[in-house]
Amino acid sequence: MLGQNIIYTVHDLNAQVGKTLLRNYSSIWVEGEVSNYKKYPLGHAYFILKDSRSQINCVLFSSYHASLNIAIKNGIKISVFGNITLYENRGQYQFQCINIIKSGHGHLWEQYIKLKEKLKEAGYFDNKLKIPVYPQRIGIITSNEGSVLKDMLRIIGRRAPSIEIDLYHSKTQGGESVDELSSGVRYFSKRKNIDLIIVARGGGSIEDLWSFNSEKLAKAIHKSTIPIISAVGHETDYTICDYVSDLRAATPSEAAELITQNYFLLN
């Protein structure tokens, strides 16, 4: 007599285990050494990540492979960001990689984690401001050089030409960029005629995006009385700026699409 015991099919059991793994081990970083690396014609790559005592199978799908700033090869030590998933047909779990960085950047990653935890405890990630449905005037903080600003202006101009745009030119990497970005946030936050602020930059390495992991910039964003969208890097890049802002856009172009989506639906 089984009483209240449940008898699972193998498939149902694997499905439940897979959900549990994904729920408890998603958006995590794991460090180890690469072995058995192999990339297939469709662009997907499979490898083993190991340390002195254990190993785990990893998969890197082609959609994420193209955005990496590192060449993966056997023997190098890396940190991988992603989720634990279960291959249900075989009952084997694996690490699905979304982003990969060199382990030599570990000191930067440690600083990032410490600041993230500090700001989270201080409530910087709470009490988000509401993004306006139909923003009339927006302030964009980014460099006036390169393709990021041009792409955003093109999308906004095509989808919602009535939106007025003010630009605050700022360096987006290097020694002066933190002060300039922070000044841009404070400048627009004092403007009573600005409905929304966007902080934007294209993709890059962890060093390239490091200004957006600044406590000074985080404090400026947190104090802003005007809602802020963080549009920094590629889809796989997460910065402190993303967590403190009221909304994260995966890319600058996505930010332009998000703020104009309601205008676009009216056309």
Side-chain angles (χ1 to χ4, degrees):
M1 184 174 179
L2 295 172
Q4 295 182 347
N5 291 339
I6 299 174
I7 300 179
Y8 290 94
T9 65
V10 174
H11 172 78
D12 288 343
L13 178 60
N14 281 350
Q16 290 299 317
V17 171
K19 290 178 182 178
T20 300
L21 288 171
L22 188 58
R23 181 170 60 249
N24 293 323
Y25 298 98
S26 62
S27 300
I28 62 173
W29 286 88
V30 182
E31 184 180 68
E33 180 183 317
V34 177
S35 68
N36 289 19
Y37 176 80
K38 186 172 183 180
K39 186 178 179 181
Y40 288 84
L42 291 178
H44 308 318
Y46 296 85
F47 59 93
I48 291 173
L49 195 67
K50 64 180 183 178
D51 58 22
S52 60
R53 295 185 296 176
S54 299
Q55 66 180 40
I56 185 173
N57 292 324
C58 297
V59 57
L60 176 66
F61 293 122
S62 59
S63 55
Y64 296 116
H65 202 294
S67 63
L68 294 182
N69 293 300
I70 177 176
I72 310 299
K73 57 184 179 180
N74 292 330
I76 67 170
K77 197 172 183 181
I78 60 173
S79 295
V80 296
F81 175 79
N83 312 309
I84 293 289
T85 60
L86 187 81
Y87 183 43
E88 293 180 8
N89 291 348
R90 296 183 181 177
Q92 297 176 338
Y93 82 93
Q94 63 184 1
F95 194 89
Q96 183 176 321
C97 303
I98 297 176
N99 194 14
I100 300 176
I101 63 174
K102 294 180 181 178
S103 286
H105 300 313
H107 65 291
L108 292 179
W109 178 246
E110 184 177 348
Q111 292 177 46
Y112 169 84
I113 291 297
K114 286 182 178 178
L115 180 58
K116 181 183 173 185
E117 292 302 316
K118 175 184 176 181
L119 297 180
K120 182 178 181 181
E121 289 294 323
Y124 275 53
F125 302 167
D126 304 327
N127 303 319
K128 302 294 187 182
L129 300 177
K130 186 177 180 181
I131 304 300
V133 178
Y134 294 102
Q136 301 294 309
R137 192 182 192 105
I138 65 171
I140 298 178
I141 305 169
T142 192
S143 171
N144 60 11
E145 303 173 354
S147 61
V148 168
L149 181 61
K150 292 179 182 178
D151 289 344
M152 294 180 71
L153 294 178
R154 175 178 53 80
I155 293 170
I156 295 170
R158 174 172 54 83
R159 292 164 61 98
S162 63
I163 293 180
E164 296 184 62
I165 300 170
D166 287 0
L167 171 68
Y168 189 99
H169 168 66
S170 170
K171 295 183 179 67
T172 56
Q173 70 182 81
E176 300 175 357
S177 57
V178 172
D179 289 339
E180 293 182 4
L181 291 165
S182 303
S183 295
V185 172
R186 290 193 295 269
Y187 169 75
F188 281 131
S189 184
K190 295 176 182 176
R191 294 269 301 276
K192 298 185 181 298
N193 63 338
I194 294 293
D195 301 315
L196 179 67
I197 301 169
I198 301 176
V199 181
R201 188 205 189 281
S205 66
I206 188 171
E207 294 97 341
D208 295 337
L209 303 180
W210 194 245
S211 297
F212 298 90
N213 292 320
S214 159
E215 184 170 1
K216 184 174 184 177
L217 177 58
K219 288 182 177 180
I221 293 172
H222 181 62
K223 291 180 179 179
S224 175
T225 57
I226 297 175
I228 296 178
I229 295 178
S230 174
V232 179
H234 295 304
E235 183 178 353
T236 57
D237 298 318
Y238 277 81
T239 66
I240 297 297
C241 181
D242 293 325
Y243 291 106
V244 181
S245 296
D246 301 293
L247 182 67
R248 174 190 182 258
T251 64
S253 294
E254 183 178 278
E257 292 172 354
L258 285 170
I259 67 169
T260 58
Q261 62 183 351
N262 291 299
Y263 286 97
F264 188 70
L265 291 173
L266 291 176
N267 296 333

Short mmCIF file of all heavy atoms in Angstrom, two decimals, residues 14-58:
data_model
loop_
_atom_site.label_atom_id
_atom_site.label_comp_id
_atom_site.label_asym_id
_atom_site.label_seq_id
_atom_site.Cartn_x
_atom_site.Cartn_y
_atom_site.Cartn_z
N ASN A 14 12.25 13.89 -13.84
CA ASN A 14 13.30 14.73 -14.42
C ASN A 14 12.81 16.16 -14.64
O ASN A 14 13.55 17.13 -14.44
CB ASN A 14 13.78 14.14 -15.74
CG ASN A 14 14.75 12.99 -15.54
OD1 ASN A 14 15.20 12.75 -14.42
ND2 ASN A 14 15.06 12.27 -16.60
N ALA A 15 11.55 16.29 -15.04
CA ALA A 15 10.99 17.62 -15.26
C ALA A 15 10.95 18.42 -13.96
O ALA A 15 11.29 19.61 -13.92
CB ALA A 15 9.59 17.52 -15.86
N GLN A 16 10.56 17.76 -12.86
CA GLN A 16 10.51 18.43 -11.57
C GLN A 16 11.90 18.79 -11.07
O GLN A 16 12.13 19.88 -10.53
CB GLN A 16 9.80 17.53 -10.54
CG GLN A 16 8.31 17.36 -10.80
CD GLN A 16 7.55 18.67 -10.73
OE1 GLN A 16 7.79 19.50 -9.85
NE2 GLN A 16 6.65 18.88 -11.68
N VAL A 17 12.85 17.88 -11.25
CA VAL A 17 14.23 18.15 -10.85
C VAL A 17 14.79 19.32 -11.65
O VAL A 17 15.48 20.20 -11.11
CB VAL A 17 15.11 16.90 -11.02
CG1 VAL A 17 16.58 17.25 -10.82
CG2 VAL A 17 14.69 15.81 -10.04
N GLY A 18 14.49 19.34 -12.95
CA GLY A 18 14.95 20.43 -13.80
C GLY A 18 14.44 21.78 -13.34
O GLY A 18 15.18 22.77 -13.30
N LYS A 19 13.16 21.84 -12.96
CA LYS A 19 12.58 23.09 -12.47
C LYS A 19 13.24 23.53 -11.16
O LYS A 19 13.49 24.70 -10.94
CB LYS A 19 11.07 22.92 -12.28
CG LYS A 19 10.29 22.77 -13.57
CD LYS A 19 8.81 22.54 -13.29
CE LYS A 19 8.02 22.34 -14.59
NZ LYS A 19 6.59 22.07 -14.32
N THR A 20 13.51 22.56 -10.30
CA THR A 20 14.14 22.87 -9.01
C THR A 20 15.55 23.42 -9.21
O THR A 20 15.94 24.41 -8.58
CB THR A 20 14.21 21.61 -8.13
OG1 THR A 20 12.88 21.12 -7.91
CG2 THR A 20 14.86 21.92 -6.79
N LEU A 21 16.30 22.79 -10.10
CA LEU A 21 17.65 23.27 -10.37
C LEU A 21 17.64 24.69 -10.93
O LEU A 21 18.41 25.55 -10.50
CB LEU A 21 18.36 22.33 -11.34
CG LEU A 21 18.78 20.97 -10.80
CD1 LEU A 21 19.27 20.08 -11.94
CD2 LEU A 21 19.88 21.12 -9.75
N LEU A 22 16.75 24.94 -11.90
CA LEU A 22 16.70 26.25 -12.53
C LEU A 22 16.24 27.31 -11.54
O LEU A 22 16.73 28.45 -11.56
CB LEU A 22 15.75 26.21 -13.74
CG LEU A 22 15.72 27.45 -14.63
CD1 LEU A 22 17.11 27.74 -15.18
CD2 LEU A 22 14.73 27.28 -15.77
N ARG A 23 15.32 26.94 -10.66
CA ARG A 23 14.82 27.90 -9.69
C ARG A 23 15.89 28.28 -8.67
O ARG A 23 16.01 29.44 -8.27
CB ARG A 23 13.60 27.31 -8.97
CG ARG A 23 12.97 28.27 -7.93
CD ARG A 23 11.64 27.74 -7.42
NE ARG A 23 11.78 26.45 -6.77
CZ ARG A 23 11.32 25.30 -7.23
NH1 ARG A 23 10.69 25.27 -8.40
NH2 ARG A 23 11.48 24.16 -6.58
N ASN A 24 16.68 27.32 -8.25
CA ASN A 24 17.66 27.56 -7.19
C ASN A 24 19.05 27.93 -7.68
O ASN A 24 19.85 28.47 -6.90
CB ASN A 24 17.77 26.32 -6.30
CG ASN A 24 16.49 26.05 -5.52
OD1 ASN A 24 15.83 26.98 -5.08
ND2 ASN A 24 16.14 24.78 -5.36
N TYR A 25 19.34 27.63 -8.95
CA TYR A 25 20.69 27.88 -9.46
C TYR A 25 20.65 28.57 -10.81
O TYR A 25 21.20 28.11 -11.79
CB TYR A 25 21.47 26.57 -9.56
CG TYR A 25 21.65 25.88 -8.23
CD1 TYR A 25 20.81 24.84 -7.84
CD2 TYR A 25 22.65 26.28 -7.34
CE1 TYR A 25 20.95 24.22 -6.61
CE2 TYR A 25 22.79 25.67 -6.11
CZ TYR A 25 21.95 24.64 -5.75
OH TYR A 25 22.09 24.04 -4.53
N SER A 26 19.95 29.70 -10.86
CA SER A 26 19.92 30.51 -12.07
C SER A 26 20.66 31.82 -11.82
O SER A 26 20.74 32.30 -10.69
CB SER A 26 18.48 30.80 -12.51
OG SER A 26 17.80 31.55 -11.52
N SER A 27 21.23 32.37 -12.88
CA SER A 27 21.99 33.64 -12.81
C SER A 27 23.10 33.56 -11.76
O SER A 27 23.20 34.40 -10.87
CB SER A 27 21.04 34.81 -12.51
OG SER A 27 20.06 34.94 -13.51
N ILE A 28 23.94 32.53 -11.87
CA ILE A 28 25.06 32.35 -10.95
C ILE A 28 26.37 32.32 -11.74
O ILE A 28 26.38 32.11 -12.95
CB ILE A 28 24.93 31.06 -10.12
CG1 ILE A 28 24.94 29.83 -11.03
CG2 ILE A 28 23.67 31.10 -9.26
CD1 ILE A 28 24.98 28.51 -10.27
N TRP A 29 27.48 32.52 -11.03
CA TRP A 29 28.81 32.44 -11.61
C TRP A 29 29.53 31.21 -11.06
O TRP A 29 29.40 30.89 -9.88
CB TRP A 29 29.63 33.68 -11.26
CG TRP A 29 29.24 34.91 -12.02
CD1 TRP A 29 28.29 35.82 -11.67
CD2 TRP A 29 29.80 35.38 -13.25
NE1 TRP A 29 28.22 36.82 -12.61
CE2 TRP A 29 29.13 36.58 -13.59
CE3 TRP A 29 30.80 34.90 -14.11
CZ2 TRP A 29 29.44 37.31 -14.72
CZ3 TRP A 29 31.10 35.62 -15.25
CH2 TRP A 29 30.42 36.82 -15.55
N VAL A 30 30.27 30.54 -11.93
CA VAL A 30 31.07 29.39 -11.54
C VAL A 30 32.45 29.54 -12.17
O VAL A 30 32.57 29.92 -13.35
CB VAL A 30 30.44 28.06 -11.99
CG1 VAL A 30 31.29 26.88 -11.53
CG2 VAL A 30 29.02 27.92 -11.46
N GLU A 31 33.49 29.23 -11.42
CA GLU A 31 34.86 29.37 -11.91
C GLU A 31 35.52 28.00 -12.03
O GLU A 31 35.31 27.12 -11.21
CB GLU A 31 35.67 30.24 -10.96
CG GLU A 31 37.10 30.52 -11.43
CD GLU A 31 37.86 31.39 -10.44
OE1 GLU A 31 38.15 30.90 -9.34
OE2 GLU A 31 38.14 32.54 -10.78
N GLY A 32 36.29 27.81 -13.09
CA GLY A 32 37.02 26.57 -13.26
C GLY A 32 37.89 26.59 -14.50
O GLY A 32 38.01 27.62 -15.18
N GLU A 33 38.46 25.45 -14.81
CA GLU A 33 39.35 25.30 -15.97
C GLU A 33 38.63 24.58 -17.09
O GLU A 33 37.88 23.63 -16.86
CB GLU A 33 40.60 24.51 -15.56
CG GLU A 33 41.61 24.29 -16.69
CD GLU A 33 42.78 23.45 -16.25
OE1 GLU A 33 43.29 23.70 -15.13
OE2 GLU A 33 43.18 22.54 -17.00
N VAL A 34 38.86 25.02 -18.31
CA VAL A 34 38.21 24.45 -19.49
C VAL A 34 38.93 23.19 -19.96
O VAL A 34 40.16 23.16 -20.05
CB VAL A 34 38.17 25.47 -20.64
CG1 VAL A 34 37.55 24.85 -21.90
CG2 VAL A 34 37.41 26.71 -20.23
N SER A 35 38.16 22.15 -20.28
CA SER A 35 38.71 20.97 -20.93
C SER A 35 37.67 20.40 -21.88
O SER A 35 36.48 20.72 -21.78
CB SER A 35 39.14 19.91 -19.91
OG SER A 35 38.02 19.37 -19.25
N ASN A 36 38.12 19.59 -22.82
CA ASN A 36 37.24 18.94 -23.81
C ASN A 36 36.37 19.94 -24.58
O ASN A 36 35.23 19.66 -24.90
CB ASN A 36 36.33 17.91 -23.13
CG ASN A 36 37.10 16.69 -22.68
OD1 ASN A 36 38.32 16.73 -22.55
ND2 ASN A 36 36.41 15.60 -22.42
N TYR A 37 36.94 21.10 -24.86
CA TYR A 37 36.17 22.13 -25.58
C TYR A 37 35.97 21.72 -27.04
O TYR A 37 36.90 21.32 -27.71
CB TYR A 37 36.89 23.47 -25.51
CG TYR A 37 36.21 24.56 -26.31
CD1 TYR A 37 35.12 25.24 -25.79
CD2 TYR A 37 36.67 24.91 -27.58
CE1 TYR A 37 34.49 26.23 -26.51
CE2 TYR A 37 36.06 25.91 -28.31
CZ TYR A 37 34.95 26.58 -27.77
OH TYR A 37 34.34 27.56 -28.50
N LYS A 38 34.73 21.84 -27.51
CA LYS A 38 34.44 21.54 -28.91
C LYS A 38 33.31 22.43 -29.40
O LYS A 38 32.25 22.51 -28.77
CB LYS A 38 34.04 20.08 -29.08
CG LYS A 38 33.86 19.69 -30.55
CD LYS A 38 33.67 18.19 -30.74
CE LYS A 38 33.58 17.82 -32.21
NZ LYS A 38 33.39 16.36 -32.42
N LYS A 39 33.56 23.11 -30.52
CA LYS A 39 32.55 23.96 -31.14
C LYS A 39 32.04 23.28 -32.40
O LYS A 39 32.83 22.80 -33.23
CB LYS A 39 33.14 25.33 -31.48
CG LYS A 39 32.12 26.32 -32.01
CD LYS A 39 32.77 27.68 -32.27
CE LYS A 39 31.75 28.67 -32.81
NZ LYS A 39 32.36 29.99 -33.09
N TYR A 40 30.72 23.24 -32.58
CA TYR A 40 30.10 22.53 -33.70
C TYR A 40 29.73 23.50 -34.82
O TYR A 40 29.70 24.73 -34.61
CB TYR A 40 28.87 21.77 -33.20
CG TYR A 40 29.24 20.58 -32.36
CD1 TYR A 40 29.50 20.71 -31.00
CD2 TYR A 40 29.37 19.31 -32.93
CE1 TYR A 40 29.87 19.62 -30.22
CE2 TYR A 40 29.73 18.21 -32.16
CZ TYR A 40 29.98 18.37 -30.81
OH TYR A 40 30.34 17.29 -30.05
N PRO A 41 29.46 22.97 -36.01
CA PRO A 41 29.20 23.82 -37.18
C PRO A 41 28.10 24.86 -36.99
O PRO A 41 28.16 25.95 -37.55
CB PRO A 41 28.83 22.81 -38.28
CG PRO A 41 29.56 21.57 -37.89
CD PRO A 41 29.53 21.54 -36.38
N LEU A 42 27.07 24.54 -36.20
CA LEU A 42 25.97 25.48 -35.99
C LEU A 42 26.35 26.59 -35.01
O LEU A 42 25.57 27.53 -34.79
CB LEU A 42 24.73 24.75 -35.47
CG LEU A 42 24.04 23.81 -36.46
CD1 LEU A 42 22.85 23.12 -35.80
CD2 LEU A 42 23.58 24.59 -37.70
N GLY A 43 27.54 26.50 -34.42
CA GLY A 43 28.01 27.56 -33.54
C GLY A 43 27.90 27.25 -32.06
O GLY A 43 28.42 27.99 -31.22
N HIS A 44 27.20 26.16 -31.71
CA HIS A 44 27.11 25.78 -30.30
C HIS A 44 28.44 25.16 -29.85
O HIS A 44 29.12 24.48 -30.62
CB HIS A 44 25.98 24.77 -30.09
CG HIS A 44 24.66 25.21 -30.64
ND1 HIS A 44 24.19 26.50 -30.53
CD2 HIS A 44 23.71 24.53 -31.33
CE1 HIS A 44 23.02 26.59 -31.12
NE2 HIS A 44 22.71 25.42 -31.62
N ALA A 45 28.79 25.38 -28.60
CA ALA A 45 30.02 24.84 -28.05
C ALA A 45 29.73 24.08 -26.76
O ALA A 45 28.87 24.47 -25.97
CB ALA A 45 31.03 25.95 -27.78
N TYR A 46 30.47 22.99 -26.57
CA TYR A 46 30.33 22.17 -25.36
C TYR A 46 31.72 21.97 -24.76
O TYR A 46 32.70 21.80 -25.47
CB TYR A 46 29.71 20.82 -25.71
CG TYR A 46 28.30 20.92 -26.24
CD1 TYR A 46 28.05 21.16 -27.60
CD2 TYR A 46 27.20 20.78 -25.39
CE1 TYR A 46 26.77 21.27 -28.09
CE2 TYR A 46 25.90 20.88 -25.88
CZ TYR A 46 25.70 21.12 -27.22
OH TYR A 46 24.41 21.23 -27.71
N PHE A 47 31.78 22.01 -23.43
CA PHE A 47 33.06 21.79 -22.77
C PHE A 47 32.82 21.37 -21.32
O PHE A 47 31.68 21.38 -20.82
CB PHE A 47 33.93 23.06 -22.83
CG PHE A 47 33.33 24.28 -22.19
CD1 PHE A 47 33.60 24.61 -20.86
CD2 PHE A 47 32.50 25.12 -22.93
CE1 PHE A 47 33.06 25.74 -20.29
CE2 PHE A 47 31.94 26.26 -22.35
CZ PHE A 47 32.23 26.57 -21.03
N ILE A 48 33.89 21.00 -20.67
CA ILE A 48 33.86 20.64 -19.26
C ILE A 48 34.55 21.74 -18.47
O ILE A 48 35.60 22.24 -18.87
CB ILE A 48 34.55 19.30 -19.00
CG1 ILE A 48 33.72 18.14 -19.60
CG2 ILE A 48 34.76 19.05 -17.51
CD1 ILE A 48 34.43 16.80 -19.55
N LEU A 49 33.92 22.14 -17.37
CA LEU A 49 34.53 23.09 -16.45
C LEU A 49 34.91 22.31 -15.20
O LEU A 49 34.07 21.62 -14.61
CB LEU A 49 33.55 24.20 -16.11
CG LEU A 49 34.13 25.44 -15.43
CD1 LEU A 49 35.05 26.19 -16.40
CD2 LEU A 49 33.02 26.37 -14.95
N LYS A 50 36.17 22.38 -14.81
CA LYS A 50 36.63 21.52 -13.72
C LYS A 50 37.52 22.27 -12.74
O LYS A 50 38.10 23.32 -13.07
CB LYS A 50 37.40 20.33 -14.28
CG LYS A 50 38.68 20.70 -15.01
CD LYS A 50 39.39 19.46 -15.55
CE LYS A 50 40.72 19.83 -16.21
NZ LYS A 50 41.45 18.64 -16.70
N ASP A 51 37.60 21.73 -11.52
CA ASP A 51 38.61 22.16 -10.57
C ASP A 51 39.35 20.92 -10.10
O ASP A 51 39.26 19.85 -10.73
CB ASP A 51 38.00 22.97 -9.42
CG ASP A 51 36.94 22.21 -8.64
OD1 ASP A 51 36.93 20.96 -8.67
OD2 ASP A 51 36.12 22.87 -7.96
N SER A 52 40.05 20.99 -9.00
CA SER A 52 40.88 19.87 -8.57
C SER A 52 40.07 18.67 -8.07
O SER A 52 40.59 17.56 -7.97
CB SER A 52 41.83 20.32 -7.45
OG SER A 52 41.10 20.80 -6.33
N ARG A 53 38.77 18.89 -7.79
CA ARG A 53 37.98 17.80 -7.20
C ARG A 53 36.74 17.40 -7.99
O ARG A 53 36.23 16.29 -7.82
CB ARG A 53 37.54 18.20 -5.77
CG ARG A 53 38.70 18.36 -4.80
CD ARG A 53 38.19 18.64 -3.39
NE ARG A 53 37.47 19.91 -3.31
CZ ARG A 53 36.87 20.34 -2.21
NH1 ARG A 53 36.87 19.60 -1.12
NH2 ARG A 53 36.27 21.52 -2.20
N SER A 54 36.23 18.29 -8.86
CA SER A 54 34.97 17.99 -9.54
C SER A 54 34.96 18.60 -10.93
O SER A 54 35.84 19.38 -11.30
CB SER A 54 33.78 18.54 -8.73
OG SER A 54 33.72 17.95 -7.47
N GLN A 55 33.90 18.23 -11.68
CA GLN A 55 33.73 18.80 -13.00
C GLN A 55 32.24 18.89 -13.32
O GLN A 55 31.41 18.21 -12.71
CB GLN A 55 34.44 17.97 -14.07
CG GLN A 55 33.87 16.58 -14.27
CD GLN A 55 34.63 15.81 -15.34
OE1 GLN A 55 35.86 15.88 -15.43
NE2 GLN A 55 33.90 15.06 -16.15
N ILE A 56 31.91 19.75 -14.28
CA ILE A 56 30.53 19.91 -14.72
C ILE A 56 30.51 20.14 -16.22
O ILE A 56 31.39 20.82 -16.77
CB ILE A 56 29.84 21.08 -13.98
CG1 ILE A 56 28.35 21.17 -14.36
CG2 ILE A 56 30.54 22.40 -14.24
CD1 ILE A 56 27.57 22.19 -13.55
N ASN A 57 29.54 19.55 -16.91
CA ASN A 57 29.37 19.77 -18.34
C ASN A 57 28.76 21.14 -18.59
O ASN A 57 27.84 21.57 -17.88
CB ASN A 57 28.46 18.70 -18.95
CG ASN A 57 29.10 17.33 -18.92
OD1 ASN A 57 30.31 17.19 -19.10
ND2 ASN A 57 28.31 16.30 -18.68
N CYS A 58 29.25 21.83 -19.61
CA CYS A 58 28.77 23.17 -19.94
C CYS A 58 28.38 23.23 -21.41
O CYS A 58 28.97 22.55 -22.26
CB CYS A 58 29.84 24.22 -19.67
SG CYS A 58 30.33 24.37 -17.94
#
